[in-house]
Each structure stands twice: as C-alpha cells, then as structure tokens.
Amino acid sequence: MVEAVAFAWLARQTLMGETGNLPAVTGANKGVVLGQVCFA
C-alpha cells in the first residue's frame, strides 16, 4: 500500500508540473519534474 501511495504522489507531482525530488535528500543539483504523461 505504501508503494502505491508513493507512485500516486509522484504522478500527482508530474501532472501538476511540480518537482518530484528533494535535492537536499538526494544530492541532486536541482528539483525537477519527474516523468512524462502522454495522453494518446
């Protein structure tokens, strides 16, 4: 169940155009929108 909630949160972040990573935690250079959604 926790994994499903995490993926739902990531999907929401992507759809809203908000960052999905935490640079302070991951060590990334900046926050970025993760993934892409294609409406075919």
Side-chain angles (χ1 to χ4, degrees), residues 2-36:
V2 173
E3 183 179 12
V5 171
F7 277 104
W9 182 83
L10 286 171
R12 180 209 174 276
Q13 293 298 99
T14 299
L15 290 171
M16 300 298 288
E18 298 181 11
T19 61
N21 66 333
L22 298 171
V25 175
T26 63
N29 292 329
K30 62 181 180 177
V32 294
V33 176
L34 303 174
Q36 177 180 350

